[in-house]
Amino acid sequence: MKYLTEYLWFNTPKRRDIINITETIQGLVKKSGVAEGFCLVSAMHITASIWVNDDEEGLWQDFWELLERLAPSTKDYKHHLTGEDNGDAHLKRTLIGHQATLPITKGKLDRGPWEQIFYAEFDGKRKKRVVVKILGD
Amino acid sequence: MKYLTEYLWFNTPKRRDIINITETIQGLVKKSGVAEGFCLVSAMHITASIWVNDDEEGLWQDFWELLERLAPSTKDYKHHLTGEDNGDAHLKRTLIGHQATLPITKGKLDRGPWEQIFYAEFDGKRKKRVVVKILGD
Amino acid sequence: MKYLTEYLWFNTPKRRDIINITETIQGLVKKSGVAEGFCLVSAMHITASIWVNDDEEGLWQDFWELLERLAPSTKDYKHHLTGEDNGDAHLKRTLIGHQATLPITKGKLDRGPWEQIFYAEFDGKRKKRVVVKILGD
């Protein structure tokens, strides 16, 4: 069995952002030497997500509109009694999900025609990490 | 290590549909010869989901009502500026999640008593794929 | 390849509850002897979730407020025509997601600084199970 563990670091200038990491992940799959296996991509900070969807800016706006409607950043969250101001970011991560597992087939990510892998940041402007764990033969 | 990669094709007559794929997945687990491992089931098109829940038609209606309420099909999405009309389907996939990992124990899907695996289609009437990747011993 | 399959049982006195299972899962990783691999934690009952987020009570209240707003327990669900009264719990599980895969690195859960693993119960007061499947080298 082969495996590879890598950490991707992000420090977005904007508080909320979407970053396409598909090529980076594909590069790690190549580096791992795994031909058949799984690649787990998981946001290690609890105010960020991994999102597998379309590389289309209009859709990204719809994504933000949905999230802001369901978990508004302007709301007075109980979490803020701790001194934090990112309650919405915790809930946005919860709704989107914080990880994805990609199958690896014949040495490549086995993605659908439009599937792109994104890091979604809900509380940026600071260093945050994503773990990539690849396992297989 | 053993592995199996298979693709399931769907072409639903209705635009939105729920299809129980539990028996199909169980059949692939048997075919793989894997006794202990993981079975990843992942929708490769970005307007479809995998949903693990109850095989009960009333609940399916509640599922659709929830999704239509949170991401209405009648809304004017920014994604539609590209000529598409399926913005809601992208967001519905996002809320439900596009994949599930099933444990395999003693050669069988290790499911709860009521857990059924569904393909949820949010923009059908065309050929779409699900990848099933099984890995283990 | 090594593997371990264990089942955690819950029977919460309250109908809705959040239980931190991080230490329990870490104990199973140690027991498995797996140094590099994956640990799948999956709620086997379709009215419960696995949630990876912050161990902070204010946030838990925000979590419940969000879920009650999106899938109210007071709503008259179609699922209730079967005699059940837990339609909201099925939908809450759907929104939160029922599982998480944790990477294992050097014999330990490879978690972010604040990531805690929770069992989220939406329809308790009865015996329910979570499957933990660990696979790796």
Side-chain angles (χ1 to χ4, degrees):
Chain A
M1 188 190 283
K2 292 173 184 168
Y3 69 88
L4 181 74
T5 313
E6 296 257 355
Y7 306 93
L8 311 179
W9 285 95
F10 299 89
N11 190 342
T12 62
K14 289 189 281 182
R15 187 156 190 193
R16 296 180 187 87
D17 212 347
I18 291 183
I19 296 163
N20 192 329
I21 57 173
T22 314
E23 287 309 308
T24 303
I25 304 297
Q26 181 58 67
L28 294 178
V29 170
K30 194 176 174 184
K31 183 178 172 185
S32 75
V34 168
E36 303 290 331
F38 292 130
C39 173
L40 174 70
V41 184
S42 193
M44 301 185 89
H45 290 257
I46 54 189
T47 50
S49 285
I50 301 298
W51 184 51
V52 178
N53 217 294
D54 204 350
D55 196 4
E56 200 278 296
E57 287 194 38
L59 183 69
W60 299 353
Q61 291 183 52
D62 298 326
F63 172 89
W64 291 116
E65 188 279 330
L66 174 81
L67 283 178
E68 193 59 26
R69 184 157 44 83
L70 300 188
S73 54
T74 51
K75 211 165 181 290
D76 195 20
Y77 293 98
K78 293 278 190 272
H79 183 50
H80 296 178
L81 295 172
T82 64
E84 294 281 355
D85 67 348
N86 61 0
D88 70 302
H90 287 270
L91 299 184
K92 280 163 178 154
R93 155 165 163 131
T94 297
L95 289 169
I96 299 306
H98 71 284
Q99 60 183 202
T101 300
L102 288 302
I104 301 167
T105 304
K106 297 179 184 168
K108 290 191 172 175
L109 291 173
D110 199 347
R111 294 180 295 124
W114 304 100
E115 281 190 317
Q116 297 283 321
I117 311 162
F118 296 95
Y119 174 70
E121 176 61 86
F122 306 127
D123 186 29
K125 299 184 177 183
R126 53 193 175 108
K127 283 185 78 182
K128 291 167 83 171
R129 248 187 337 163
V130 165
V131 56
V132 181
K133 185 104 193 180
I134 296 168
L135 205 76
D137 253 354
Chain B
M1 186 190 283
K2 291 172 185 169
Y3 71 89
L4 180 75
T5 313
E6 295 259 354
Y7 306 94
L8 311 179
W9 285 95
F10 299 90
N11 191 342
T12 62
K14 288 189 282 181
R15 188 156 191 192
R16 297 180 188 87
D17 212 348
I18 290 183
I19 296 163
N20 192 330
I21 57 173
T22 314
E23 287 309 308
T24 303
I25 304 297
Q26 182 58 66
L28 294 178
V29 169
K30 194 176 175 184
K31 183 178 172 185
S32 75
V34 168
E36 302 290 330
F38 291 131
C39 173
L40 174 70
V41 183
S42 193
M44 302 184 88
H45 290 256
I46 53 188
T47 50
S49 285
I50 300 298
W51 184 51
V52 178
N53 217 295
D54 203 352
D55 196 6
E56 199 279 296
E57 288 193 38
L59 183 68
W60 300 352
Q61 291 182 53
D62 299 325
F63 172 88
W64 292 116
E65 187 280 330
L66 174 80
L67 283 178
E68 193 59 25
R69 183 157 44 83
L70 301 188
S73 55
T74 51
K75 211 165 181 290
D76 195 20
Y77 293 97
K78 293 279 189 269
H79 183 51
H80 296 178
L81 295 171
T82 64
E84 293 282 355
D85 66 347
N86 60 0
D88 71 302
H90 288 271
L91 299 183
K92 281 164 177 153
R93 155 167 164 128
T94 297
L95 289 169
I96 299 306
H98 70 286
Q99 59 184 201
T101 300
L102 288 302
I104 300 166
T105 303
K106 298 180 185 168
K108 290 193 173 174
L109 291 173
D110 199 348
R111 294 180 294 123
W114 304 100
E115 282 191 315
Q116 297 283 319
I117 311 162
F118 296 95
Y119 174 70
E121 177 61 85
F122 307 126
D123 186 29
K125 298 185 178 182
R126 53 194 175 106
K127 284 185 77 181
K128 292 167 82 170
R129 246 187 339 162
V130 165
V131 57
V132 181
K133 185 104 193 179
I134 296 167
L135 205 75
D137 251 353
Chain C
M1 187 190 283
K2 292 172 185 168
Y3 70 87
L4 180 75
T5 313
E6 295 259 355
Y7 306 93
L8 311 179
W9 286 95
F10 299 89
N11 190 343
T12 63
K14 288 188 282 182
R15 187 156 191 192
R16 297 180 187 87
D17 213 348
I18 290 183
I19 296 163
N20 192 330
I21 57 173
T22 314
E23 286 310 307
T24 304
I25 304 297
Q26 182 59 65
L28 294 178
V29 169
K30 193 175 176 186
K31 183 178 172 186
S32 75
V34 168
E36 302 290 330
F38 292 130
C39 173
L40 174 70
V41 183
S42 193
M44 301 185 89
H45 290 256
I46 53 189
T47 51
S49 285
I50 300 298
W51 184 51
V52 179
N53 218 293
D54 204 351
D55 195 5
E56 199 279 295
E57 288 193 38
L59 184 68
W60 299 352
Q61 292 184 52
D62 299 325
F63 171 90
W64 291 116
E65 187 280 331
L66 174 80
L67 283 178
E68 193 59 25
R69 184 158 43 84
L70 301 188
S73 56
T74 51
K75 210 165 182 288
D76 195 20
Y77 293 98
K78 293 278 190 270
H79 183 52
H80 297 177
L81 295 171
T82 64
E84 294 282 354
D85 67 348
N86 61 1
D88 72 301
H90 288 270
L91 299 184
K92 281 163 177 153
R93 155 165 164 130
T94 297
L95 289 170
I96 299 307
H98 70 286
Q99 61 183 201
T101 301
L102 288 303
I104 300 167
T105 303
K106 298 179 185 169
K108 289 192 172 174
L109 291 173
D110 200 347
R111 293 179 295 122
W114 304 100
E115 282 191 316
Q116 297 283 321
I117 311 163
F118 296 95
Y119 174 69
E121 176 61 84
F122 306 126
D123 185 30
K125 299 184 178 182
R126 53 194 175 107
K127 283 185 75 181
K128 292 167 82 171
R129 249 190 333 164
V130 166
V131 56
V132 182
K133 186 104 194 180
I134 296 167
L135 205 75
D137 252 354

